[in-house]
Each structure stands twice: as C-alpha cells, then as structure tokens.
Amino acid sequence: MSDDQNREVREAVEAIKSLFAQTEDPAERFKRLTKLLDGWPDLHQQVRKMRQEDGDKLRSGGMTYGEIGNLIDVTESRARHIVKGITNPSRQKRKAEQARADQERQEDRD
C-alpha cells in the first residue's frame, strides 16, 4: 500500500474518531459506536461498489485484469473478481448451481 493510501486510511480513521471525540460518556459513545458498526456492512458495500465502478473504467480504458491486479497487489484472477463484483467465487458458484438444480426440478414437475 502506498503512502497516499495509508494516509487516506489514517484520515478516515481520524475522521471517525473525531465524530465521537465530543462524547465523554463511555456508555453513550459505546452505543453510538455500536450504531456505526451496525451500519458498517452498508458502508462497506458502497465502497466496494465504488471500487468496482473504477475497475470497470480501467477495463474500458484498456487495462488488463493483470494490470489492475498489479495496482493493488492481487492476482489477475482476484482483480477480475473485484471488477465483476464477485466477493466469494465459491459461494456464488454454489448458489448458481443450486439455482440451476432447483429450476430443473421445477421443470421436471411441470
């Protein structure tokens, strides 16, 4: 990770800390931090979507998955998954296989 990326992570953490710095009561801060963490999956999903959109732009601009992977020190395969929005390839493959099997069973019944 480059110094700029480390700086951005540090700044994000500091921004979160500053949101809660004025809350002196540990119980209140504890509750507010819990609410933040409860919303974290949505935030994580939004950030992942932003990254995926930029990956699409890089691909449209002519970069290969290998080149995109080199940007963030991941394999070509992982870069492809990121750009396509695949978070867990094995689980998604199993879901697709299950959906096909369910559809075939339904067609056999009809």
Side-chain angles (χ1 to χ4, degrees):
M1 193 177 286
S2 74
D3 287 342
D4 278 347
Q5 291 166 327
N6 286 330
R7 179 186 51 79
E8 290 168 350
V9 171
R10 282 191 308 271
E11 287 177 3
V13 170
E14 289 304 316
I16 290 169
K17 285 180 180 179
S18 71
L19 289 171
F20 298 94
Q22 301 303 316
T23 306
E24 293 183 17
D25 177 21
E28 181 62 26
R29 188 169 42 249
F30 183 83
K31 290 191 297 186
R32 291 181 62 211
L33 287 166
T34 299
K35 288 181 182 179
L36 171 70
L37 290 172
D38 288 346
W40 202 260
D42 292 335
L43 174 63
H44 191 255
Q45 184 178 17
Q46 290 172 16
V47 171
R48 187 182 288 134
K49 186 175 190 297
M50 291 167 49
R51 180 178 66 170
Q52 183 182 352
E53 290 169 354
D54 284 340
D56 283 337
K57 289 176 186 174
L58 294 172
R59 284 287 295 155
S60 296
M63 286 185 80
T64 66
Y65 290 118
E67 291 168 332
I68 294 169
N70 288 339
L71 290 173
I72 56 173
D73 296 325
V74 299
T75 65
E76 176 181 343
S77 177
R78 180 66 188 124
R80 182 180 302 108
H81 291 154
I82 290 169
V83 172
K84 292 182 180 243
I86 299 170
T87 56
N88 187 327
S90 299
R91 183 174 15 161
Q92 288 180 324
K93 182 178 178 185
R94 284 192 305 271
K95 281 184 180 180
E97 289 169 351
Q98 183 65 46
R100 278 194 296 275
D102 291 347
Q103 184 177 5
E104 288 173 4
R105 279 194 293 277
Q106 183 63 35
E107 289 171 359
D108 289 344
R109 285 185 226 155
D110 292 340

